[in-house]
Amino acid sequence: MDSKSKKPRAFRGVTLQALTGQQAQLVEAIAGRIFPATDTPGAVEAGALFYIDRALAGAHKHLLPQYKRGLRALERRAKAKFGSPFLKLSAAQQDVLLSALKAGRIKELRSGEEFFEILRSHVLEGVFGEPSYGGNRDLIGWHLVGFPGQQYGYPDPYINRVVDLEPVAWDGPPKKPDEV
Amino acid sequence: MTTNIADICLVGVGAIGGILAKELASAGLKVVAFERGPAVKTEDYSPRDSIRFIARHDQLEWVRHEPTVFRTRTTEPGKLRYGTSPLNALGGALMHWTGQASRFMPGDFKIYSNEVATGLAERAKADLSEYDVVDWPIGYEDLEPYYERFEWEFGVSGAAGMNPFAGPRRRPYPLPPLRHSGKMELFAAACRRLDYHPFNGPAGILSQNYRPPPPFDTRIAERPACVYCGHCNHYGCHVQAKAATLYTVIPVALETGNLELKTNCKVSCVTTDDKGRATGVKYFDPDGQLREQRARVVILAAFVFDNVRLLLLSKTDRGSFRNGLANSSGLVGKCFFGHGDLRVYGLFDDIIINAFIGPGSAAMRIDDFNGNNFDHAGLGFIRGGTMGTSGDGAPISRMDVVPPGMRSWGREYKEYFMRYYTRTFDIHMAPETLPRRDNRVDLDPRRRDPWGLRLPRITFAFHQNETKMHRFLAKIAEGILREAGAGKVWTELPRPTPTRQCGGTRMGKEPGTSVVNEYCQTHDVPNLFIVGSSVFPTMSGYPATATIAALAYRAAEYITRQRDWFR
C-alpha cells in the first residue's frame, strides 16, 4: 500500500503531500463515517482529507507512521471480519469497525483507541478549522454550526438571537474594519 | 566571561519579570533579564486561528522541547507533559491568559487561623490529615495598594462593590465591566433567583480605550478596548486589549536604558560564593554557549516549575546548599498545588447562547461557595471556589464537549453539534486545593532537556478535601444551569493534572517552615528573591495573576529601598 514512487500523487485533482492514493481513499471514507453527509454536507465535502494530508506532511509529520500502521490494521480487520476491503463495506459495517477501533478491539493494532481519537480530532479539525489549512471548504463546517468565523469583533452581543453574519475567513495579518 | 556586575539578574520576563523589570530599571538599577524564549512579534500571537492556538497549541511551539514530567504517585515513572500553563516567550502566559483578574479575598491569607485553629474544619468534619495548612505572613491589607497598581497600570474592568465577599478597596476599578453576553445575563438572573450574589468578574481586558492616569505610571502606552472577537483564551490579543506585559510595562522598562534583555537565553543555575550569597547566574546563550552573569541581587521570576528547578539545580557539593539553594527548610518543591479544572455543561433548547462572542473573562461570577463564605458544617471539606461563565470559542475548542452516553462521532454527534454549538454554555469553577508535602515538584532522575538540565517532575493528586469539594461545587453549578433553563446538564470532574499551578517555594515568617519571607526574599540567601505563584503558602478559589502581580510590585519596592546593596 505504501508507494515508493516519488512522482506526485493526485487525488480528486489535489496533489497529495503525505498519503498515497489508497491511503487517501481510506482516510476519506473514515472521515465520511466520523462526520457523515446527511441532508447537509459532511467531512468528505468539507475536504477534511486534504487537511489531514497536509498536516501529515507538516505539523503532524510524526504521526504519519501511526496513520500507516492504523490504516493497514483497519484494512486487515475489514478483510478478516467481512471478507472485503473497508471501502467496499456498507456504512453499517464500516461503523462496526470504527467502533471496534475506538474500543481498542482491533486485534491487529495496539493502542487503537489512541489512533481513533487522533483520527476523530483530525477529521473534525478538517471540518471546523480555518480553510487556510486545507479543510473546511466553502466554510462548510462553520455554516453547519452557525459560527461566523474569524470575525474582527462583534459590535453586537447577539443576546438570544441567531447571528446573521456570513462566516469569514482570512489569511494574512489581521485587518481593522476600515482597512478591509 | 563577563566581568560586569549588574545590580539585578532577573530570570524570566513574563508577568512577574515584566513588572519587576519596569520597577527596578525605573529606580535606576541596572537589570540584566534572561528570557529562555524569543521576543515574539504581533504577527506571532495575534492571528485568530483556532487550528494554530487551540488544536495545535502553537503558543507552546516556542517551548516544545521543555516538557514537565507528571505522575500522580511516587510508584509511577511519570509521563512527559507539554500542555502546562507557562508560555516561554517574552511576556509569558499573560499573552494567552483568560484575563480573570480577581484579588484574593481577605480570608484566603488566614486559612489556618480562621478555619483550622477555630475548629471550623472540625465542625465541617473535614479530614485534614496530611495537609499542611498555614497562614500567609501578610494579609490582604498589605497587598491592597499593590493590587491597585496592577489594576490601574494594566487596566482591569470591573464593578467595585458588587461582590459582597470581596475585600475593601481604596479605589474603584479603572474601567467599567465588559459588555454583557447572553450567557452572563442568564447566569446572573438564575443566581439571583437562587439568592446567590452574582457580580461582574474583574477582567484584565479593556472595556474602553485606556491609558493609566496619574498618579499611576503614565509612561504606559494607550491601548484600545476589546472588540469581543471571542478568540481569547489561548490566543494572543489582536488589538492588545488583553493585559500583557509585552506591550505595557516591558517597553517602559526598555525605555529607561537600564534594562538589558537577553532573549533565547536559558539560565541553568544561580551561582553562590563561600559566604552563602548569590553572585549571579550561569546561562546558555542563543548559540548554546555556557556563560556567566554576575549581579548583586538575583531574582527568580520564572514559572513554578522552573523556580523550583533552578533552586535544586543550583545545589553545591559542599556547604549549606547541598540539598539545593535556599532549601535549609527542605521545603523547596513541596506543597505544590493548583486548581482542579471542574466544569459543568448545560444544553439549552429554547435559548440561543452564542458563547463564541466575547472574551471568557467577560463573566458573571459568584463567590457564595468560595473560601469560607458558606456554612461548611458536616460537608466533609473546608474552602471552596469561585464559579462563573467562561469563554467558549470557535468550534475547534468545543468539539470534544459531548454529553455522557452520546457517541462522539457519526450522525448523532453531527446533529447534536449542529443543534447545540450555539446553545451550550458551561460554568467553570476554580476549586481550591490545600497544600500537602507529598504534592511536590522535584527533578526527574533521568530525563533531561536539550541543554542537559534535568526536567522538573511533578507528583500530584487531588485528595479527600478536594474530591468532596469538587462534587459539592458541581451540584451547585448544575443547579444554576437548570435554573437558567438548561435541559441536559452534566459535570466533567477534574483530570488529575492541576491548572493554575502554585506553591513549591512557600512564603512564611520562619526559616524552618518556609523558603521566602513576606518580600519574596529567601531566608537562606539574603540577595536571592523568588517572585511568583510558587511563593503561595496556600491557594485561593481564584486564579493567581492579580496576586502574583501585587507581590511583584511589593517585592520591587522592597528591593529598591535597599540602597546600600547597590552602592
Side-chain angles (χ1 to χ4, degrees):
Chain A
M1 191 154 113
D2 196 359
S3 164
K4 295 271 183 289
S5 133
K6 288 273 184 284
K7 71 171 186 222
R9 297 154 298 204
F11 187 79
R12 299 200 194 287
V14 176
T15 304
L16 294 172
Q17 298 180 23
L19 298 168
T20 65
Q22 272 176 310
Q23 290 164 347
Q25 272 188 305
L26 197 45
V27 168
E28 188 180 65
I30 294 167
R33 295 316 305 153
I34 286 178
F35 201 81
T38 50
D39 53 348
T40 51
V44 173
E45 294 71 23
L49 162 68
F50 301 105
Y51 166 81
I52 294 172
D53 177 59
R54 240 209 251 179
L56 291 175
H60 294 315
K61 205 173 190 167
H62 61 289
L63 294 175
L64 186 58
Q66 194 171 359
Y67 261 81
K68 288 181 176 171
R69 265 198 315 276
L71 295 174
R72 230 170 8 234
L74 198 63
E75 195 63 306
R76 283 207 199 110
R77 188 92 287 262
K79 285 173 185 155
K81 188 168 174 71
F82 297 112
S84 264
F86 189 89
L87 290 171
K88 296 271 164 61
L89 302 179
S90 69
Q93 288 171 322
Q94 291 179 340
D95 284 1
V96 167
L97 290 175
L98 290 175
S99 296
L101 182 66
K102 185 178 193 314
R105 284 188 285 102
I106 298 275
K107 61 175 181 247
E108 289 84 351
L109 186 65
R110 265 191 305 165
S111 60
E113 311 93 308
E114 189 188 307
F115 181 52
F116 179 87
E117 291 309 326
I118 290 171
L119 272 172
R120 175 187 174 273
S121 294
H122 287 180
V123 168
L124 296 177
E125 286 166 20
V127 175
F128 296 110
E130 285 68 26
S132 54
Y133 291 90
N136 194 5
R137 287 188 168 167
D138 303 323
L139 313 184
I140 281 175
W142 294 347
H143 279 285
L144 282 176
V145 297
F147 175 62
Q150 295 163 284
Q151 299 284 339
Y152 179 87
Y154 295 91
D156 186 299
Y158 290 95
I159 293 177
N160 200 12
R161 280 198 296 127
V162 171
V163 177
D164 52 358
L165 302 169
E166 270 300 300
V168 293
W170 52 257
D171 35 14
K175 291 184 175 66
K176 291 179 183 165
D178 55 345
E179 295 170 355
V180 173
Chain B
M1 275 289 290
T2 167
T3 47
N4 266 350
I5 301 184
D7 289 322
I8 308 279
C9 239
L10 178 59
V11 181
V13 192
I16 306 308
I19 291 171
L20 289 170
K22 174 179 82 89
E23 294 295 302
L24 300 171
S26 299
L29 298 175
K30 297 286 179 195
V31 180
V32 179
F34 297 88
E35 170 52 52
R36 64 182 164 180
V40 289
K41 297 186 173 60
T42 316
E43 58 269 27
D44 295 326
Y45 63 81
S46 63
R48 304 185 292 286
D49 182 337
S50 64
I51 290 290
R52 183 167 166 194
F53 293 121
I54 303 293
R56 296 184 184 167
H57 292 291
D58 260 8
Q59 63 280 63
L60 302 171
E61 189 59 36
W62 303 315
V63 292
R64 243 177 240 292
H65 46 274
E66 271 195 285
T68 52
V69 177
F70 182 84
R71 59 182 188 172
T72 56
R73 56 174 74 89
T74 52
T75 49
E76 294 169 9
K79 284 186 180 154
L80 291 183
R81 283 201 187 253
Y82 295 84
T84 41
S85 310
L87 175 142
N88 307 18
L90 193 63
L94 289 193
M95 294 311 299
H96 65 76
W97 71 311
T98 311
Q100 268 196 60
S102 290
R103 302 172 172 197
F104 283 2
M105 296 180 295
D108 293 342
F109 300 89
K110 304 282 174 220
I111 302 178
Y112 181 80
S113 307
N114 290 351
E115 279 146 275
V116 180
T118 56
L120 275 178
E122 214 170 307
R123 208 160 66 85
K125 295 195 169 29
D127 171 10
L128 297 183
S129 52
E130 303 299 320
Y131 287 98
D132 190 357
V133 178
V134 292
D135 285 346
W136 288 52
I138 48 174
Y140 174 86
E141 60 288 355
D142 297 305
L143 285 184
E144 206 282 335
Y146 306 98
Y147 276 131
E148 182 183 281
R149 287 188 63 191
F150 166 67
E151 290 165 357
W152 285 78
E153 288 199 355
F154 288 82
V156 172
S157 305
M162 200 174 175
N163 178 7
F165 303 106
R169 40 189 309 134
R170 291 191 307 193
R171 276 174 207 269
Y173 292 99
L175 292 154
L178 289 158
R179 187 181 77 193
H180 278 201
S181 62
K183 63 193 164 184
M184 288 168 71
E185 306 239 309
L186 274 179
F187 178 88
C191 286
R192 285 193 194 100
R193 290 196 296 275
L194 293 164
D195 285 331
Y196 305 152
H197 300 84
F199 62 94
N200 290 87
I205 295 186
L206 303 180
S207 59
Q208 299 170 352
N209 296 356
Y210 182 73
R211 178 175 198 158
F216 299 97
D217 197 334
T218 53
R219 295 172 300 171
I220 296 171
E222 175 161 346
R223 289 146 53 218
C226 175
V227 295
Y228 301 90
C229 76
H231 292 89
C232 198
N233 189 20
H234 301 301
Y235 301 82
C237 180
H238 70 282
V239 299
Q240 302 187 340
K242 190 186 281 194
T245 50
L246 183 70
Y247 40 71
T248 54
V249 290
I250 291 173
V252 174
L254 287 168
E255 271 299 293
T256 64
N258 292 327
L259 170 64
E260 186 187 343
L261 200 52
K262 288 184 180 293
T263 50
N264 291 310
C265 285
K266 165 84 182 168
V267 171
S268 64
C269 69
V270 178
T271 53
T272 46
D273 64 15
D274 295 342
K275 298 185 202 99
R277 291 182 65 87
T279 53
V281 299
K282 284 187 179 165
Y283 67 99
F284 292 98
D285 73 9
D287 299 322
Q289 290 292 318
L290 190 61
R291 297 183 182 276
E292 206 169 331
Q293 172 68 51
R294 297 177 69 81
R296 295 181 176 87
V297 168
V298 175
I299 307 176
L300 303 185
F303 196 68
V304 168
F305 308 130
D306 286 284
N307 284 348
V308 168
R309 176 156 84 139
L310 280 170
L311 293 177
L312 297 178
L313 288 172
S314 304
K315 70 174 184 173
T316 53
D317 296 334
R318 290 175 292 114
S320 25
F321 305 136
R322 274 165 300 181
N323 297 322
L325 197 54
N327 196 20
S328 65
S329 64
L331 281 171
V332 167
K334 307 278 168 59
C335 298
F336 162 81
F337 41 88
H339 286 140
D341 189 2
L342 175 60
R343 298 165 185 221
V344 173
Y345 297 93
L347 306 182
F348 291 75
D349 282 301
D350 305 322
I351 307 170
I352 301 166
I353 307 290
N354 293 329
F356 53 83
I357 298 178
S361 58
M364 293 303 288
R365 320 195 60 80
I366 56 165
D367 278 344
D368 297 75
F369 301 95
N370 194 358
N372 194 27
N373 299 343
F374 58 108
D375 185 2
H376 287 70
L379 292 179
F381 65 91
I382 60 168
R383 311 299 294 161
T386 188
M387 62 176 79
T389 58
S390 70
D392 300 312
I396 289 287
S397 48
R398 303 299 290 177
M399 64 195 203
D400 292 334
V401 176
V402 186
M406 180 186 286
R407 202 167 74 161
S408 63
W409 56 285
R411 171 189 277 268
E412 187 192 10
Y413 169 77
K414 180 186 176 190
E415 284 168 358
Y416 150 77
F417 201 41
M418 283 173 61
R419 173 153 180 79
Y420 288 110
Y421 170 65
T422 56
R423 295 164 177 270
T424 308
F425 91 78
D426 359 330
I427 295 179
H428 288 204
M429 284 149 274
E432 180 171 340
T433 299
L434 292 175
R436 296 166 60 109
R437 294 192 182 200
D438 55 356
N439 281 340
R440 64 184 190 273
V441 180
D442 61 3
L443 298 178
D444 192 86
R446 291 180 295 113
R447 285 166 278 208
R448 291 169 188 266
D449 69 16
W451 294 273
L453 306 174
R454 288 159 68 189
L455 289 175
R457 177 177 65 180
I458 300 148
T459 309
F460 179 88
F462 294 113
H463 292 281
Q464 66 271 18
N465 199 71
E466 289 80 50
T467 49
K468 285 187 180 134
M469 182 200 297
H470 295 167
R471 292 207 178 86
F472 174 85
L473 293 176
K475 286 282 166 260
I476 300 286
E478 287 187 1
I480 294 170
L481 282 176
R482 287 210 181 83
E483 179 64 32
K488 175 99 184 151
V489 170
W490 75 96
T491 291
E492 202 175 274
L493 287 169
R495 286 156 299 181
T497 38
T499 67
R500 310 192 191 102
Q501 301 90 345
C502 310
T505 64
R506 122 186 308 197
M507 170 188 281
K509 287 198 170 91
E510 302 300 326
T513 53
S514 58
V515 179
V516 300
N517 68 16
E518 59 170 300
Y519 297 108
C520 303
Q521 179 182 26
T522 63
H523 292 301
D524 298 349
V525 185
N527 65 336
L528 174 66
F529 290 73
I530 304 164
V531 190
S533 66
S534 64
V535 307
F536 290 4
T538 57
M539 212 181 173
S540 159
Y542 270 132
T545 305
T547 302
I548 58 176
L551 287 172
Y553 282 112
R554 191 166 184 269
E557 192 179 280
Y558 175 79
I559 293 167
T560 53
R561 277 206 309 263
Q562 315 305 316
R563 283 287 153 197
D564 50 323
W565 291 1
F566 304 107
R567 277 207 189 101

